[in-house]
Amino acid sequence: MGRPIDARGWMFEVETATADTFVRIGNLKSWSENPGENEETADTTDNDSEGYYEQDIMQRGATIEVSGQYTATSGTRDPGQDYIDTVWAYRFGEESRGRMRYRHKSQDEWTVWECTVTPGERGGETNAKTSWAATFTRCGAPSVAEVVAAP
């Protein structure tokens, strides 16, 4: 039996306006995937169900929420956070879809989503660092892509 993998080993990247060019989302402190988000069911219970509930899944969905610290080291924003906040968040209609990918450092392929992104809240108190967050909502089925070593 294998060992559990650490949550800090997960990597998340967003595709920029240049096709197949992804940038890492940095300074993340937590993430969560909800593979049941936006699921829709149809009740198929009838008299033959003998009092037991029955259903069919009609739609599957998923979301990933990432959160961390708003980053602006030496006046330079984290590339992933900056792209989400200044480009992707201002697209509407068909243009609102983009791609993100994620994997654990121990894996040799990315899971790729076509998705929309919703910027999260930012804030903080006097003695805290400024928070940053985003939620990705998958559109369609996920795909996979091999990890390609940088040239």
Side-chain angles (χ1 to χ4, degrees), residues 7 14 18 27 31-32 34-35 39 42 55 65 72 76-78 81-82 91 96 107 111 120 127 131 142 144 146-147:
V14 292
T18 304
N27 289 77
W31 66 274
S32 63
N34 182 348
E39 179 177 276
Q55 73 174 19
E65 183 177 331
T76 303
R77 286 289 316 278
D78 172 82
Q81 290 181 12
D82 187 56
R91 294 197 238 159
S96 66
Q107 298 172 331
T111 298
N127 293 321
S131 62
V144 295
E146 269 188 56
V147 173

Side-chain angles (χ1 to χ4, degrees), residues 53-117:
Y53 176 79
E54 295 183 28
Q55 73 174 19
D56 288 341
I57 303 291
M58 302 304 290
Q59 170 181 297
R60 297 244 186 231
T63 58
I64 290 179
E65 183 177 331
V66 295
S67 60
Q69 297 172 339
Y70 182 92
T71 306
T73 306
S74 303
T76 303
R77 286 289 316 278
D78 172 82
Q81 290 181 12
D82 187 56
Y83 184 78
I84 290 167
D85 289 347
T86 63
V87 179
W88 197 349
Y90 291 97
R91 294 197 238 159
F92 300 96
E94 290 180 26
E95 300 292 316
S96 66
R97 290 188 182 194
R99 292 195 311 162
M100 65 86 70
R101 64 187 186 181
Y102 65 99
R103 71 179 181 94
H104 190 268
K105 65 183 179 182
S106 65
Q107 298 172 331
D108 58 3
E109 66 182 16
W110 294 97
T111 298
V112 182
W113 286 10
E114 179 178 3
C115 54
T116 59
V117 68

Side-chain angles (χ1 to χ4, degrees), residues 1-5:
M1 177 168 244
R3 299 268 310 139
I5 59 176

Side-chain angles (χ1 to χ4, degrees), residues 13-23 79-80 83 87 91 99:
E13 296 183 348
V14 292
E15 185 177 34
T16 67
T18 304
D20 295 319
T21 300
F22 287 82
V23 293
Y83 184 78
V87 179
R91 294 197 238 159
R99 292 195 311 162

Side-chain angles (χ1 to χ4, degrees), residues 124-139:
E125 296 181 11
T126 303
N127 293 321
K129 298 293 185 181
T130 302
S131 62
W132 180 90
T135 301
F136 300 94
T137 301
R138 193 179 72 210
C139 301

